[in-house]
Amino acid sequence: TVLAFWVFPVLLPICGLHRPRKGSDARRTQLPLFLLLSLAIGVAVIAWSITVREDLHSPSPRQHMRYLEPLLIPLLAVMLDTLDEPLTQMRRRVLAALTALWGVGFVLVCRAIGAGAGDNTLLQWFDFIADRLDRLPALGLSGWLAVWRIVIAAGAAVLGVLLVRRKYRRPLAVAALALCVLCYAGEWRINRWTYAIPAETAARASALNDALQSLDGTVLFLPNGIRQRDSQLIETYISRDFYIVEYETLQASGQLADGVLDLTAEAVGPEYPGHPYTDLTAADWLLVADGVPVDTTALEHSGIPCPDGYTLYRNPTPGLVAFLV
């Protein structure tokens, strides 16, 4: 599915692998070949080094299109260069068949692709719609996602017809630029929501970092959520060594079945990269995010001010951490 969003821009370069026109340089043929080879290598690297390791057996693996995004502009340039020449009837038929094949495959095979699957700034328009389809009545999320895929496939076919017939190129170029602006504005909005924090929170996090520098012993951070804002804040501002283990990761591992995490006997680690720590055998200090059900009966409040949503405890029994089950 990693080619699901990208096959159509490649179709015309494929059809444009022709003998160079009289007086033209052979490099006009070499560029499409180079781009297709680059695309194939990129897809292979993503599939092997990321998808297999992170999304094996997932019905909706992330596409990681940000790694392939730089190829879009040269692919489009080659496509438009090819359209400057009249396409033979055979190439038109091949192009129509490939477009139909891609459309059917995208609608039927990529049915699990939803919001966030594209992982690409220029696909913000896809995510914007897909992320809101569950609010619509009657068909349900899967049904509306199917409708959205059909709309995209039909739109790609119509766009292809307009380009092949050399109509509306300037309006289409203006629309493409406007779409790029909107996508980057959406990406800016998402990043601001994800990473922006008030100045007071930043100051308190920095003060917590200064206080932690003077503490002896091991600090274990227990965030409430995997790769969420609470873990991002601490990982950004705390410069001393500490361990991080998400509460959800502990739950999923089954190590909290008895309500006690025994660090002397159980190896734990963060969700990413997914390997347990080999040297975490005690936690003298616990930095706990709100919502994590740590049993504070035997813990001592450190008295050190923390940013809102966090509490630092001293753990009198460093090898054990109790939870409310």
Side-chain angles (χ1 to χ4, degrees):
T1 58
V2 77
L3 287 173
F5 294 107
W6 286 76
V7 172
F8 186 74
V10 180
L11 297 181
L12 278 172
I14 291 176
C15 295
L17 294 179
H18 50 76
R19 292 187 305 173
R21 291 179 295 181
K22 183 179 179 180
S24 65
D25 193 275
R27 283 175 295 182
R28 295 188 66 254
T29 301
Q30 295 170 356
L31 180 57
L33 287 172
F34 171 77
L35 293 175
L36 292 177
L37 178 62
S38 299
L39 182 64
I41 293 174
V43 169
V45 170
I46 291 172
W48 174 249
S49 65
I50 302 177
T51 305
V52 171
R53 289 161 171 75
E54 295 185 5
D55 296 313
L56 188 63
H57 304 308
S58 171
S60 181
R62 291 172 63 201
Q63 304 301 288
H64 299 284
M65 303 308 270
R66 64 184 184 275
Y67 299 117
L68 303 175
E69 186 176 35
L71 293 174
L72 178 62
I73 299 303
L75 280 171
L76 292 177
V78 170
M79 180 183 72
L80 293 175
D81 180 67
T82 302
L83 289 175
D84 287 337
E85 301 178 19
L87 295 175
T88 64
Q89 191 64 29
M90 177 57 69
R91 284 179 179 163
R92 287 175 179 268
R93 292 174 180 173
V94 171
L95 180 57
L98 290 174
T99 304
L101 180 64
W102 171 80
V104 172
F106 181 57
V107 173
L108 298 181
V109 178
C110 303
R111 56 185 180 276
I113 291 181
D119 194 21
N120 180 281
T121 297
L122 293 181
L123 290 173
Q124 283 291 325
W125 56 272
F126 177 87
D127 287 349
F128 182 83
I129 300 297
D131 192 38
R132 291 161 174 77
L133 293 177
D134 58 349
R135 308 174 188 177
L136 300 178
L139 298 180
L141 178 59
S142 59
W144 285 114
L145 278 175
V147 172
W148 185 217
R149 293 195 306 276
I150 292 172
V151 170
I152 293 173
V158 171
L159 179 62
V161 170
L162 294 178
L163 290 174
V164 168
R165 294 183 177 180
R166 305 182 186 182
K167 292 183 177 181
Y168 310 112
R169 284 200 186 181
R170 289 186 178 180
L172 288 175
V174 173
L177 289 174
L179 181 63
C180 288
V181 171
L182 290 175
C183 287
Y184 275 98
E187 188 74 13
W188 175 85
R189 180 184 64 84
I190 291 173
N191 287 332
R192 179 174 174 80
W193 179 86
T194 303
Y195 299 111
I197 59 172
E200 180 183 356
T201 301
R204 301 184 82 175
S206 182
L208 174 61
N209 177 61
D210 294 338
L212 289 177
Q213 303 296 332
S214 61
L215 298 181
D216 294 326
T218 300
V219 178
L220 175 61
F221 172 44
L222 298 170
N224 185 22
I226 295 175
R227 304 191 209 180
Q228 299 297 319
R229 292 174 66 91
D230 56 357
S231 58
Q232 292 167 351
L233 177 70
I234 298 302
E235 290 183 275
T236 298
Y237 282 90
I238 304 305
S239 59
R240 68 156 286 168
D241 292 337
F242 68 95
Y243 296 89
I244 176 173
V245 181
E246 303 88 352
Y247 173 63
E248 288 80 353
T249 303
L250 292 174
Q251 278 188 309
S253 67
Q255 292 169 314
L256 297 184
D258 58 356
V260 177
L261 175 62
D262 186 353
L263 294 175
T264 63
E266 298 173 299
V268 297
E271 186 270 341
Y272 182 82
H275 304 299
Y277 296 114
T278 59
D279 56 348
L280 177 58
T281 58
D284 302 283
W285 302 90
L286 298 177
L287 180 59
V288 183
D290 287 355
V292 177
V294 172
D295 187 348
T296 60
T297 303
L299 300 179
E300 300 175 3
H301 197 290
S302 67
I304 296 176
C306 298
D308 292 339
Y310 310 88
T311 307
L312 181 66
Y313 298 97
R314 193 181 78 82
N315 185 13
T317 56
L320 301 175
V321 180
F323 289 81
L324 300 174
V325 179

